[in-house]
Amino acid sequence: MNQLSLTFIVLLQILVKSSIAWSPTNGYVPGNVTCDDDINLIREANELSPNETDWLRRRSSYTNEALQNFLTRATRNFSDDSIVSQLFRNNSNVPKIGIACSGGGYRAMLSGAGMIAAMDNRTDGALDHGLGGLLQSATYLAGLSGGNWLTTTLAWNNWTSVQTILNNMTEDDSIWDISNSIINPGGINIVSSGQRWNHISDAVQAKQDAGFNISLTDVWGRALSYNFFPTLYRGGVGYTWSTLREADEFRNAEMPFPISVADGRYPGSTIIDLNATVFEFNPFEMGSWDPTINSFTDVRYLGTNVSNGTPTNQGQCIAGFDNVGFIAGTSSSLFNQFILQINGTALPSFLRNIANRFLQNLASEDDDIAIYAPNPFKDSEFVESNFSRSIVESDYLYLVDGGEDDQNVPLLPLIQQQRDLDVVFALDNSADTSQSWPDGSSLVHTYQRQFGAQGKDMAFPYVPDENTFINLGLNQRPAFFGCDARNLSDLNYVPPLIVYIPNSRHSFNGNQSTFKLSYDTDERFGMIQNGFEAATMGNLTQDSNFLGCVACAVLRRKQQSLNATLPSECNDCFRTYCWNGTVDSSTPDDQNSGDTSSRSQSASSTSAGSSSKHNGGELSVQPRTFLSILTLLTTIAGLM
């Protein structure tokens, strides 16, 4: 290699390193930026934002072609597939698809990755024995907690594919290299672990020194980022959520619209239930459709001191607060769950001792899991009358894990009437039963929410109770809910048809503990493969007609609204997969059901009490105390 080539490589490396620092401070600390003197950063949540609307127009040119190809392939053996060409004569008749990826730690990330891979035409075999092309046909992709780790990884890595991650899984600096625990990332190399935590501590401390409130989520999000962005400087320490707007894949609408979900906690309360305010983060905005907020703010300028959306310092805003890891951590305050289980983990003894000391400094009030301050909705005028204004009157906005209200599948953003979706694929990798399989609980809670105060403008199809899910085997294979729009006329509007795809055992024990923080290469491959099989009825071997049945579910809403002819094969599909209203609420004989094979239903690595049900997120931490522990941790590590 000649000197000119070497010089070029060095310059390229410098440019790459500088280009990854999207925060104005080139690091984790938010910084001051100028903004328009008359800027207002919030709007009422009565319609989609102009940015999202413009983006959807570009996206439709991709989804229309991809969906037509998918439906043509899926219905090619139908006796009459004319409905496909009929719908695509008019763009307004083309079905719109959303995909929701549940929480559940690395289990949800990996199993969900297999399900997404089954829908991605970039995956080897997805076109032959999977649902390849469905992902390319999707308009929205929502993630929560571990499911958000999946969607964030794909979207903020230039819309990479699960197949690409698999192909590079044994390489250095590979995405999702979780062979070692996130707490002890260096494994036997304790010095490496100490250096990692030292960098994390420095970044979070610098944010606090700059005058911003910090919380456990700052630490958790920084640690997570090294798994998602291993090729970026210190795991993308300056990488911001709003940066995605500038990525070609998103700007050109070559990928679905990503959404992350978190729950709001009312000031002075530690209760999270169906009355909690559900927040969404998308590349343009964060906010809530719920009447207790009823507004959205520009995600790029989070951290700006505002009153009713107007910066208190005219022409001066804050940027860089929307760190990707911080938002991913906000949706997944899993770390507090891990701390609760600290004595059951395989940490080195000195780390465990330090963590146990840390537990003594946790309190159930004062600080929350994620602190967004200044509150971007301070003094907002859009809260609906007769609803609490406590969130907008607070100087701090407290957000927690998006599954703490037991809606572990992030369906709310996708069933909003303004988004007008026809079908939503609910990928459920929750751990509801004693053996960490889903039992439909997430769907049950979303259904129930529409009858409470916060759900006054939402609609969701009828679903049975959790016992019925288990007794009828609806938690062991895909099931459709809301198949007949005529039966939903008493709801606020006709919601999307829900295609429920639960985690179930095929070739691997996919019911791993939520608190399992390391997976070797074989386990990662096994989890992803099993997820693929769960989404495809065993690579279409359990039902060779399943691909066509998925097509029927996609077509159903538009077919009914246009009174078009339904292919006769769809009638058979709906008899097989649609819940017909039967209820069996008796106590199940085996609440561990989730194994579709004759093999054992339990996973050897699943520990008792490892359900992903949340405890209300009642833990908090005094930031200085935690940082001092990190300092102590790294000091000890450096001496070993």
Side-chain angles (χ1 to χ4, degrees), residues 440-556:
S441 159
S442 296
L443 271 64
V444 173
H445 285 93
T446 300
Y447 165 75
Q448 293 172 338
R449 192 179 198 263
Q450 68 188 311
F451 303 112
Q454 289 279 42
K456 75 181 193 67
D457 293 322
M458 64 170 278
F460 193 75
Y462 300 103
V463 296
D465 60 277
E466 292 92 332
N467 285 353
T468 297
F469 263 90
I470 295 174
N471 289 328
L472 300 185
L474 300 175
N475 69 327
Q476 297 183 50
R477 62 169 179 81
F480 303 165
F481 297 95
C483 290
D484 194 341
R486 294 170 298 184
N487 295 333
L488 307 174
S489 58
D490 57 337
L491 301 180
N492 288 329
Y493 54 89
V494 176
L497 187 152
I498 304 297
V499 176
Y500 180 63
I501 300 180
N503 182 24
S504 55
R505 193 195 187 287
H506 292 265
S507 60
F508 191 82
N509 288 326
N511 56 329
Q512 302 294 309
S513 168
T514 301
F515 302 106
K516 179 178 169 64
L517 293 183
S518 63
Y519 287 75
D520 63 30
T521 302
D522 289 342
E523 288 176 317
R524 278 173 271 158
F525 274 104
M527 288 291 292
I528 293 172
Q529 178 64 43
N530 192 75
F532 187 107
E533 293 162 349
T536 59
M537 292 290 289
N539 304 326
L540 306 183
T541 60
Q542 294 172 289
D543 182 2
S544 60
N545 298 318
F546 182 62
L547 175 63
C549 290
V550 169
C552 293
V554 172
L555 293 167
R556 181 58 162 166

Side-chain angles (χ1 to χ4, degrees), residues 325-360:
F326 183 59
I327 293 177
T330 297
S331 182
S332 62
S333 54
L334 178 66
F335 199 28
N336 68 334
Q337 305 292 314
F338 165 74
I339 296 225
L340 288 175
Q341 301 288 323
I342 195 74
N343 289 322
T345 62
L347 286 177
S349 59
F350 82 90
L351 284 175
R352 187 163 57 249
N353 291 338
I354 292 171
N356 281 329
R357 286 183 226 164
F358 172 45
L359 281 173
Q360 298 173 8

Side-chain angles (χ1 to χ4, degrees), residues 55-56 58-63 66 97 99 120 122 134-141 150-161 239 241 243-259 282-283:
W55 184 92
L56 289 172
R58 296 194 297 274
R59 179 62 180 164
S60 64
S61 64
Y62 287 92
T63 56
I97 298 172
I99 302 172
D120 190 345
R122 297 173 295 178
L134 196 59
L135 182 62
Q136 282 68 32
S137 305
T139 300
Y140 291 95
L141 179 64
L150 163 62
T151 58
T152 297
T153 296
L154 300 181
W156 273 262
N157 277 290
N158 302 315
W159 189 232
T160 191
S161 66
Y239 198 9
W241 187 263
T243 298
L244 190 67
R245 304 177 192 179
E246 312 305 324
D248 289 341
E249 292 79 7
F250 179 78
R251 188 171 52 196
N252 298 331
E254 299 169 16
M255 57 179 284
F257 192 83
I259 298 175
N282 66 58

Side-chain angles (χ1 to χ4, degrees), residues 372-611:
Y372 284 70
N375 182 358
F377 302 101
K378 176 71 173 175
D379 301 325
S380 170
E381 298 178 351
F382 297 121
V383 177
E384 295 190 18
S385 61
N386 300 322
F387 284 88
S388 170
R389 290 185 53 84
S390 63
I391 294 179
V392 302
E393 289 175 351
S394 174
D395 292 329
Y396 303 88
L397 174 64
Y398 300 121
L399 300 183
V400 298
D401 188 307
E404 290 197 16
D405 59 358
D406 289 322
Q407 296 182 95
N408 201 38
V409 181
L411 292 164
L412 285 184
L414 305 182
I415 62 173
Q416 297 299 321
Q417 188 173 15
Q418 292 87 339
R419 288 194 165 122
D420 193 29
L421 294 185
D422 295 280
V423 60
V424 174
F425 289 80
L427 313 185
D428 193 358
N429 293 287
S430 304
D432 301 317
T433 71
S434 61
Q435 290 298 311
S436 297
W437 297 112
D439 67 1
S441 159
S442 296
L443 271 64
V444 173
H445 285 93
T446 300
Y447 165 75
Q448 293 172 338
R449 192 179 198 263
Q450 68 188 311
F451 303 112
Q454 289 279 42
K456 75 181 193 67
D457 293 322
M458 64 170 278
F460 193 75
Y462 300 103
V463 296
D465 60 277
E466 292 92 332
N467 285 353
T468 297
F469 263 90
I470 295 174
N471 289 328
L472 300 185
L474 300 175
N475 69 327
Q476 297 183 50
R477 62 169 179 81
F480 303 165
F481 297 95
C483 290
D484 194 341
R486 294 170 298 184
N487 295 333
L488 307 174
S489 58
D490 57 337
L491 301 180
N492 288 329
Y493 54 89
V494 176
L497 187 152
I498 304 297
V499 176
Y500 180 63
I501 300 180
N503 182 24
S504 55
R505 193 195 187 287
H506 292 265
S507 60
F508 191 82
N509 288 326
N511 56 329
Q512 302 294 309
S513 168
T514 301
F515 302 106
K516 179 178 169 64
L517 293 183
S518 63
Y519 287 75
D520 63 30
T521 302
D522 289 342
E523 288 176 317
R524 278 173 271 158
F525 274 104
M527 288 291 292
I528 293 172
Q529 178 64 43
N530 192 75
F532 187 107
E533 293 162 349
T536 59
M537 292 290 289
N539 304 326
L540 306 183
T541 60
Q542 294 172 289
D543 182 2
S544 60
N545 298 318
F546 182 62
L547 175 63
C549 290
V550 169
C552 293
V554 172
L555 293 167
R556 181 58 162 166
R557 283 288 182 266
K558 286 294 191 289
Q559 172 264 320
Q560 284 197 303
S561 66
L562 297 173
N563 198 26
T565 301
L566 184 75
S568 60
E569 290 83 357
C570 286
N571 292 323
D572 294 334
C573 287
F574 294 151
R575 279 191 291 270
T576 300
Y577 291 100
C578 289
W579 175 57
N580 62 8
T582 300
V583 174
D584 181 357
S585 300
S586 60
T587 301
D589 292 333
D590 180 7
Q591 292 201 17
N592 301 332
S593 181
D595 189 348
T596 60
S597 72
S598 60
R599 300 177 64 178
S600 171
Q601 296 168 4
S602 64
S604 59
S605 60
T606 302
S607 59
S610 62
S611 169

Side-chain angles (χ1 to χ4, degrees), residues 16-17 20 157-158 172-175 225-236:
V16 169
K17 184 173 181 179
I20 65 172
N157 277 290
N158 302 315
D172 292 338
D173 291 330
S174 63
I175 294 174
S225 297
Y226 286 85
N227 293 330
F228 307 153
F229 311 111
T231 61
L232 299 187
Y233 178 67
R234 294 187 179 175

